[in-house]
């Protein structure tokens, strides 16, 4: 298959957006640049002084890893320099970053929510980690920038994607017209189209949840986990359990072979652990665009009204038939 780079693909797809004059294309290019720089550090992590903690804690109360900070800096640098982004909400910053107030004042009309390094607990273990991004367009670019503008519904996203730094490095994204995957070819330093028009199977036989929390789960989740473990040849059960602990890696597998990923509400995370703006909304947009489902309780994740940058939400996401089965247990349990 002739190589098609991310840049060529974006320009080719430009026709889908007659109103856009290339700004979104340049923004996606800037994200790709940051991803390549982060990939270089992730790949030599054991050799560079980039492992371990940096001694600080982020707004989430998590011990920050050096790679969390490095990845955050690379995205901010690439987005600031690119000039298409005017505001960044990052997992690693309590407040949003208003790029219109910086020296290189930007006329950018896009805002980016990002998880610069997802799966931090896996960094020092050589297990796949990722980055997640979610892009919104400013509603009123003539007005001064304010935080409230980024608190848009997930279904208003202009684009969303993730990078997975795994056995190969891939960038997977959607602009609302399907999902496409690109694999980094290190020999030319380009992301090349490798997974056109990605679709998630309607059914899978893998469930992905941190069963260490089992006793803290609501009853319908406990019942669903037992259902996954029951013998039933008609439904390919017992299912296989797979939990990597990096949302990007667990959902990339789910997208490729089907399955379901659950991070439910628990007694210590009553609103769930995963963050709406830069984990659940972007991943929900991608999975829905690939033909899957993403719920928080009975509600689509993409219809949750955001109220603050770091709000959390429970999430059940993956193959449609499997998410619908959890819904049945939820309804029965109410
Ligand atoms: P992050 O490293 O960006 O803070 O995200 C970690 C998240 C997510 O990647 C993963 O699915 C989840 O935390 C794992 O949580 P548990 O270790 O509680 O299962
Ligand atoms: Mn994360
Ligand atoms: Mn993170
Ligand atoms: Mn974190």
């Amino acid at each position: 298959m002739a190589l098609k780079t991310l840049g060529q693909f974006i320009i080719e797809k430009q026709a889908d957006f007659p109103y856009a004059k290339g700004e979104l294309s340049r923004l996606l290019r800037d994200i790709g640049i940051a991803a390549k720089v982060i990939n270089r550090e992730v790949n030599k992590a054991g050799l560079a002084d980039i492992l371990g903690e940096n001694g600080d804690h982020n707004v989430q109360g998590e011990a920050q890893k050096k790679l969390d900070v490095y990845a955050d800096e690379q995205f901010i640098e690439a987005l600031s320099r690119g000039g298409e982004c005017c505001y960044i909400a990052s997992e690693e910053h309590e407040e949003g970053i208003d790029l219109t107030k910086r020296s290189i004042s930007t006329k950018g009309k896009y805002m980016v929510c990002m998880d610069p390094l997802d799966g931090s607990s896996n960094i020092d273990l050589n297990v796949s980690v990722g980055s997640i991004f979610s892009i919104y367009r400013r509603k009123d670019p003539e007005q001064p920038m304010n935080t409230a503008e980024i608190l848009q519904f997930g279904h208003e996203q202009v684009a969303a994607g993730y990078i997975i730094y795994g056995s190969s490095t891939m960038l997977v994204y959607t602009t609302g017209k399907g999902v496409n995957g690109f694999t980094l070819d290190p020999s030319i330093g380009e992301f090349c189209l490798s997974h056109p028009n990605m679709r998630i199977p309607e059914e899978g036989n893998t469930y992905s949840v941190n069963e260490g929390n089992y006793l803290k789960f609501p009853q319908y989740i406990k019942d669903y986990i037992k259902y996954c473990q029951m013998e039933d040849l008609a439904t390919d059960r017992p299912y296989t359990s797979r939990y990597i602990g990096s949302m990007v890696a667990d959902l990339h597998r789910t997208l490729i072979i089907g399955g379901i990923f659950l991070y439910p509400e628990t007694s210590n995370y009553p609103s769930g652990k995963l963050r709406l703006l830069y984990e659940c909304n972007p991943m929900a947009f991608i999975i829905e665009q690939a033909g899957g489902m993403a719920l928080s309780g009975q509600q689509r994740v993409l219809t949750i009204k955001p109220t603050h940058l770091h709000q959390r939400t429970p999430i059940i996401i993956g193959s449609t038939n499997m998410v619908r089965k959890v819904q049945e247990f939820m309804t029965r349990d109410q």
Side-chain angles (χ1 to χ4, degrees):
M1 174 169 71
L3 280 187
K4 184 176 289 179
T5 66
L6 175 64
Q8 289 164 332
F9 181 86
I10 291 171
I11 290 165
E12 200 180 273
K13 291 293 170 192
Q14 189 68 49
D16 292 345
F17 300 92
Y19 57 80
K21 293 183 286 302
E23 295 98 331
L24 180 61
S25 309
R26 284 192 292 275
L27 182 56
L28 289 166
R29 173 209 60 195
D30 298 338
I31 288 170
I33 291 168
K36 287 187 233 178
V37 174
I38 294 163
N39 175 65
R40 185 186 57 196
E41 290 308 295
V42 168
N43 280 353
K44 64 180 186 187
L47 302 171
D49 178 24
I50 198 81
L51 291 181
E53 298 180 359
N54 75 340
D56 294 339
H57 283 70
N58 64 11
V59 62
Q60 330 281 337
E62 301 165 342
Q64 254 180 347
K65 299 283 183 119
K66 289 177 191 163
L67 210 51
D68 280 326
V69 174
Y70 180 81
D72 182 62
E73 287 166 353
Q74 295 313 312
F75 277 111
I76 293 170
E77 173 68 18
L79 291 171
S80 312
R81 208 176 325 116
E84 302 304 344
C85 173
C86 61
Y87 191 86
I88 299 172
S90 164
E91 178 199 353
E92 303 306 330
H93 294 262
E94 180 160 9
E95 305 300 328
I97 301 161
D98 183 346
L99 299 181
T100 60
K101 293 206 170 48
R102 291 203 167 184
S103 52
I104 10 166
S105 74
T106 165
K107 286 271 166 285
K109 59 182 179 189
Y110 290 104
M111 304 176 288
V112 176
C113 304
M114 66 176 189
D115 179 356
L117 209 290
D118 173 69
S120 306
S121 61
N122 284 323
I123 290 171
D124 301 353
L125 318 177
N126 215 357
V127 171
S128 297
V129 294
S131 302
I132 310 173
F133 61 90
S134 165
I135 301 174
Y136 290 94
R137 187 180 304 105
R138 284 204 68 183
K139 294 221 160 129
D140 199 346
E142 300 318 313
Q143 294 304 315
M145 181 67 216
N146 63 54
T147 302
E149 278 216 65
I150 203 154
L151 297 176
Q152 297 184 30
F153 286 101
H155 62 72
E156 296 179 280
Q157 290 174 89
V158 173
Y162 62 82
I163 296 96
I164 179 167
Y165 311 99
S167 46
S168 69
T169 293
M170 278 191 69
L171 186 149
V172 174
Y173 84 99
T174 182
T175 55
K177 295 184 182 296
V179 179
N180 290 283
F182 299 79
T183 300
L184 182 64
D185 179 339
S187 68
I188 58 172
E190 289 284 2
F191 282 105
C192 299
L193 182 65
S194 53
H195 297 65
N197 192 25
M198 298 177 83
R199 303 293 293 169
I200 182 171
E202 276 191 337
E203 195 64 70
N205 73 346
T206 303
Y207 73 101
S208 184
V209 65
N210 182 343
E211 296 195 50
N213 294 326
Y214 182 84
L215 297 176
K216 303 185 189 112
F217 286 150
Q219 190 56 44
Y220 75 91
I221 294 288
K222 292 179 181 171
D223 294 344
Y224 179 68
I225 291 173
K226 281 194 206 112
Y227 166 83
C228 292
Q229 295 166 345
M230 274 162 57
E231 192 80 30
D232 178 337
L233 300 184
T235 59
D236 207 10
R237 286 179 288 134
Y239 293 155
T240 292
S241 171
R242 284 282 184 280
Y243 192 73
I244 300 168
S246 302
M247 184 188 199
V248 167
D250 280 316
L251 279 178
H252 185 68
R253 179 201 58 247
T254 303
L255 173 57
I256 302 272
I257 61 167
I260 190 165
F261 173 83
L262 312 98
Y263 208 111
E265 58 280 19
T266 62
S267 35
N268 50 343
Y269 283 117
S271 304
K273 173 186 180 185
L274 300 178
R275 284 57 58 108
L276 177 63
L277 263 63
Y278 43 80
E279 289 173 318
C280 296
N281 268 340
M283 298 313 281
F285 187 22
I286 292 165
I287 293 294
E288 282 198 3
Q289 279 290 309
M293 276 178 81
L295 297 181
S296 176
Q298 293 284 9
Q299 181 179 12
R300 274 177 74 208
V301 168
L302 298 183
T303 61
I304 296 173
K305 174 72 190 123
T307 50
H308 65 273
L309 296 187
H310 302 290
Q311 82 187 64
R312 300 174 192 264
T313 183
I315 187 165
I316 299 161
I317 181 171
S319 295
T320 299
N321 295 353
M322 298 177 87
V323 174
R324 287 213 173 102
K325 178 55 78 178
V326 180
Q327 255 187 317
E328 281 175 31
F329 281 92
M330 205 187 302
T331 310
R332 224 184 291 165
D333 188 28
Q334 274 161 351

